[in-house]
Amino acid sequence: MAIANLFTRSAAPAIVPAAPVYGSRPDYSSGAMADLYAWVDSIAELTQPDRVHWVDGSRSENEALLREQVEEGKLIKLNPEWRPGSYLARSHPSDVARTEARTFIASEREEDAGPTNNWAAPDEIRATITPLFEGSMRGRTMYVVPFSMGAVGGPLSHIGVQITDSAYAVTSIGIMTRVGTAVLDQIAEGKPWVKTVHSVGAPLEPGEKDVAWPCNDEKYIVHFPDTLEVWSYGSGYGGNAILAKKCFALRIASVIGRDEGWLAEHMLLIRVIDPAGKAYHVAAAFPSACGKTNLAMLRPTIPGWRVETLGDDIAWIRPGEDGRLWAINPEAGFFGVAPGTGESTNVTAVETLWGNTIFTNVALRPDGDVWWEGLTDDAPAELIDWEGNPWTPESGRLAAHPNSRFTVSAGQCPQIAPDWDAPEGVPLDAILFGGRRATNVPLVVEATDWTHGVFIGSNISSERTAAAEGTVGELRRDPFAMLPFCGYNMADYFSHWLKVGQALRFDRAPRIFQVNWFRKGSDGRFLWPGFGDNSRVIDWIIRRVDGSVDAVDSPIGRLPKVEDLNLDGIDVPAEDLEELFAVDPDLWLQEADLTEEFYATFDGRVPAPLQSELSALRYRLRQATQS
Ligand code: GTP
Ligand code: SPV
Ligand code: MN
């Protein structure tokens, strides 16, 4: 098939809009661009779209794409009086979260995917998915979206191109990354780029009317780390469809980082400014829907402290020549969990969402605004739920899907750091690991050194959330919050972390901490108020980094002295505080058994220093049981 631009293959001239200023293929004469053209031609040949649209990232193009989606019933325009420039998308009820069981790492060698990933032999899985992509874009537009992760041309940045047949994906990528012709200039100059292909897998017969959320029951999200490619089929939702995010910026980038000596992490990034005006940079890895966006937008409840947001989901981290670790947020927007986001929990997010936001699977108010559980204490009397059905507080079901989300530009965050997209990033002072743990894990514990910190990271476990398909609440291991996102063997990833630590100046490596906002009392309530009050934990962490406060040794690491936590203005009962920091050696010996079992699944590949950490932990715990 010859490649045509958006308009030369329009079905009926009568519906061709006024002359477009976008959509056609930009002409470059470089050899590097010839490779891109050939690749785009080959995908068009395979998927047989009605037209090909090269996305230029312009405002007029974005507006046209949004308008088209409204006309096609794919987006609902919200009332501009309440929510200017904003839209609601309702997904198919079967396509609401990342599908980890359908996510594959197709490395040449099975051992390079490791036991925590679904491995597929590259040739075999290509043979399986290629027929699915054959004609999969029939009746649709194929969009070519050049994007940069990190500032265009930055030293830590990487570029890619996503081909997709979803306009919703295009408008989302436009918010989440830097899209536009500046990226093509880079490709033309010969900069390497990652190929990503996405189809919702719902070709249209001639004359067939489209549905609001096209997708396919059969789904494949396949990564080829050896050739830097991603192929995603059948889903239009989140990380399954915005391939720059989890597929590229974590799974593929982690492999590039392994080979080049840097880290691609599922981490938020903040600047914390103490009452004296001194700035510190903190990165934190928590599993999906475990509080990254919330901590990224923290409003400290203790006077004098400020937080500036740098990123809320992904950090790319590289050792600098100064022996420190430098981090950027490669994204340009937030794809955040809506439920639980409200004035009392994350007022910064609420303010960020004033307009220019795409909401997915939240509820619609009669006045044309949106609502979700937790936005306000009381639910509106009437709503249309996320599936489009009438809803009242008596309905006995959720109005918004638990994994409903907002997509909004980072620049709209009222506390975004003024230099948030600085190409060289920021130097890290502390790294936190956390998860949802109702039991055992204290509010905060400090690692004794880098290796111990890596040991802690390798042992993160968390109760499952609605961010991925599966049983919510079930405890699972989620090392470094990277279980679904590490593009190679997790044991090699542990080794890589140890190696990166060795590249740092010993006195300049970030300190590592474990935190847990989610410990519960025997009555099932959270022991810690969380949210803005997490600043009290950050305050202790910063004072540890500064060397201005002592800690007490425990078998699992260093704990705060309770009197060193700033608890002014909150009322945490003494027995709750005790429980928040309780370390039960018998229960921790059981945790150690789980670690041994987990490590054993890697067939001897777990690095020896981590095995030694496990032995040392057990020794300390046994000592503690005897005292
Ligand atoms: P992903 O975007 O899936 O990676 O999630 P995330 O890690 O950014 O999680 P997010 O900040 O969106 O929080 C998910 C849920 O956890 C929301 O419903 C929050 O209200 C809740 N949450 C966040 N921080 C806290 C906290 O300190 N305490 C409690 N109890 N809940 C919290
Ligand atoms: C997560 O699940 O960690 C997310 C949402 O941030 S998604 O982009 O769908 O992966
Ligand atoms: Mn995430």
Side-chain angles (χ1 to χ4, degrees):
M1 187 193 90
I3 298 304
N5 74 26
L6 178 56
F7 296 100
T8 54
R9 283 177 62 96
S10 292
I15 59 159
V16 172
V21 292
Y22 58 84
S24 51
R25 188 178 95 172
D27 276 324
Y28 288 79
S29 55
S30 87
M33 281 300 275
D35 292 345
L36 170 61
Y37 294 150
W39 176 69
V40 170
D41 286 357
S42 72
I43 303 298
E45 191 125 17
L46 173 68
T47 59
Q48 298 164 30
D50 275 12
R51 55 198 90 80
V52 176
H53 173 152
W54 287 71
V55 171
D56 66 12
S58 66
R59 199 189 167 106
S60 56
E61 175 188 63
N62 181 252
E63 282 166 4
L65 287 171
L66 290 165
R67 201 175 335 111
E68 257 167 47
Q69 291 178 76
V70 172
E71 282 160 11
E72 291 174 355
K74 292 179 174 156
L75 289 179
I76 296 166
K77 190 167 170 55
L78 299 175
N79 186 341
E81 208 175 313
W82 311 121
R83 212 59 77 162
S86 300
Y87 300 85
L88 167 63
R90 291 188 189 127
S91 80
H92 190 275
S94 67
D95 192 22
V96 293
R98 285 181 295 100
T99 43
E100 292 177 6
R102 306 302 305 156
T103 300
F104 299 88
I105 302 297
S107 47
E108 290 294 339
R109 297 186 309 178
E110 182 168 5
E111 68 195 82
D112 285 336
T116 59
N117 280 312
N118 302 312
W119 178 75
D123 290 348
E124 281 171 32
I125 196 132
R126 269 188 214 279
T128 308
I129 61 173
T130 304
L132 296 177
F133 280 92
E134 257 164 38
S136 74
M137 297 190 186
R138 238 176 255 148
R140 299 190 180 279
T141 302
M142 177 178 122
Y143 300 92
V144 181
V145 193
F147 62 85
S148 177
M149 301 307 281
V152 179
L156 282 74
S157 303
H158 284 264
I159 56 175
V161 179
Q162 177 165 342
I163 286 178
T164 179
D165 55 7
S166 159
Y168 167 85
V170 176
T171 42
S172 302
I173 302 163
I175 295 172
M176 296 304 298
T177 77
R178 293 132 175 112
V179 168
T181 21
V183 178
L184 296 181
D185 296 344
Q186 293 235 305
I187 293 176
E189 283 164 25
K191 187 165 171 154
W193 52 283
V194 172
K195 300 180 167 94
T196 72
V197 185
H198 170 241
S199 174
V200 294
L204 292 166
E205 295 302 323
E208 186 184 341
K209 195 175 157 2
D210 202 1
V211 293
W213 186 277
C215 61
N216 195 300
D217 286 344
E218 195 166 7
K219 295 177 174 50
Y220 279 95
I221 296 95
V222 187
H223 306 72
F224 297 93
D226 300 287
T227 49
L228 304 185
E229 278 174 85
V230 181
W231 289 71
S232 169
Y233 179 87
S235 168
Y237 206 88
N240 289 347
I242 307 168
L243 304 186
K245 196 170 174 56
K246 297 307 179 13
C247 299
F248 175 1
L250 289 178
R251 299 194 191 97
I252 296 289
S254 62
V255 173
I256 301 175
R258 174 196 65 190
D259 297 342
E260 294 181 357
W262 54 279
L263 300 162
E265 298 299 326
H266 191 205
M267 290 182 179
L268 67 95
L269 190 59
I270 51 177
R271 172 177 297 135
V272 182
I273 302 163
D274 75 8
K278 191 164 175 210
Y280 303 82
H281 297 100
V282 178
F286 309 153
S288 302
C290 290
K292 287 184 302 301
T293 301
N294 276 267
L295 188 61
M297 300 182 181
L298 182 73
R299 286 247 178 129
T301 51
I302 41 176
W305 290 80
R306 275 196 309 127
V307 166
E308 290 178 354
T309 308
L310 288 152
D312 84 323
D313 198 53
I314 297 176
W316 284 354
I317 306 174
R318 194 186 282 263
E321 277 167 14
D322 57 359
R324 294 192 288 183
L325 274 183
W326 288 77
I328 62 162
N329 163 23
E331 300 191 278
F334 308 123
F335 181 61
V337 178
T341 305
E343 299 280 343
S344 59
T345 54
N346 188 353
V347 65
T348 306
V350 172
E351 289 172 11
T352 305
L353 305 176
W354 62 267
N356 307 323
T357 304
I358 300 175
F359 296 93
T360 307
N361 287 347
V362 301
L364 182 65
R365 294 168 49 112
D367 64 359
D369 198 3
V370 284
W371 190 83
W372 50 80
E373 280 74 17
L375 176 60
T376 52
D377 289 345
D378 296 317
E382 270 178 56
L383 290 168
I384 308 291
D385 74 8
W386 68 275
E387 294 189 87
N389 300 313
W391 183 98
T392 70
E394 286 73 50
S395 296
R397 59 176 197 276
L398 296 173
H401 187 276
N403 191 40
S404 57
R405 300 224 169 212
F406 51 79
T407 312
V408 67
S409 293
Q412 254 182 234
C413 173
Q415 65 191 64
I416 195 82
D419 56 343
W420 72 275
D421 61 352
E424 70 284 0
V426 296
L428 290 182
D429 297 292
I431 293 175
L432 321 186
F433 296 117
R436 273 177 197 267
R437 289 297 308 265
T439 60
N440 285 13
V441 178
L443 181 61
V444 58
V445 55
E446 184 189 348
T448 45
D449 60 17
W450 184 268
T451 306
H452 184 227
V454 172
F455 175 73
I456 287 176
S458 78
N459 275 304
I460 292 298
S461 52
S462 190
E463 290 137 26
R464 292 178 72 122
T465 66
E469 292 192 333
T471 314
V472 172
E474 185 182 80
L475 190 67
R476 72 164 179 183
R477 304 240 135 213
D478 192 347
F480 292 78
M482 282 288 278
L483 181 76
F485 307 124
C486 183
Y488 61 102
N489 189 309
M490 185 66 82
D492 296 351
Y493 168 91
F494 298 161
S495 301
H496 184 57
W497 262 82
L498 293 173
K499 211 161 94 191
V500 168
Q502 281 162 5
L504 306 178
R505 245 180 68 163
F506 78 95
D507 59 337
R508 289 188 174 173
R511 298 276 197 96
I512 299 178
F513 299 81
Q514 178 170 24
V515 297
N516 177 25
W517 317 140
F518 300 95
R519 195 156 180 173
K520 289 180 175 171
S522 46
D523 52 1
R525 97 206 123 79
F526 290 118
L527 292 166
W528 179 247
F531 303 105
D533 289 317
N534 293 333
S535 57
R536 298 164 191 279
V537 176
I538 300 292
D539 157 86
W540 182 77
I541 286 170
I542 297 300
R543 284 184 289 137
R544 282 299 296 163
V545 167
D546 240 9
S548 60
V549 70
D550 266 349
V552 277
D553 282 326
S554 88
I556 63 167
R558 296 178 178 142
L559 299 171
K561 294 182 188 157
V562 172
E563 64 269 27
D564 286 332
L565 271 187
N566 181 344
L567 299 174
D568 292 349
I570 51 167
D571 198 16
V572 184
E575 53 286 9
D576 284 10
L577 268 180
E578 199 170 314
E579 216 171 322
L580 273 169
F581 290 103
V583 177
D584 180 325
D586 291 314
L587 293 176
W588 271 92
L589 280 165
Q590 290 170 27
E591 298 261 346
D593 291 344
L594 294 176
T595 300
E596 181 179 342
E597 271 172 40
F598 177 58
Y599 281 3
T601 62
F602 293 96
D603 279 338
R605 219 161 156 132
V606 170
L610 298 191
Q611 299 283 7
S612 310
E613 286 291 335
L614 176 59
S615 308
L617 171 68
R618 278 177 157 153
Y619 176 79
R620 294 191 300 265
L621 289 166
R622 281 196 211 99
Q623 296 266 300
T625 57
Q626 283 152 25
S627 62

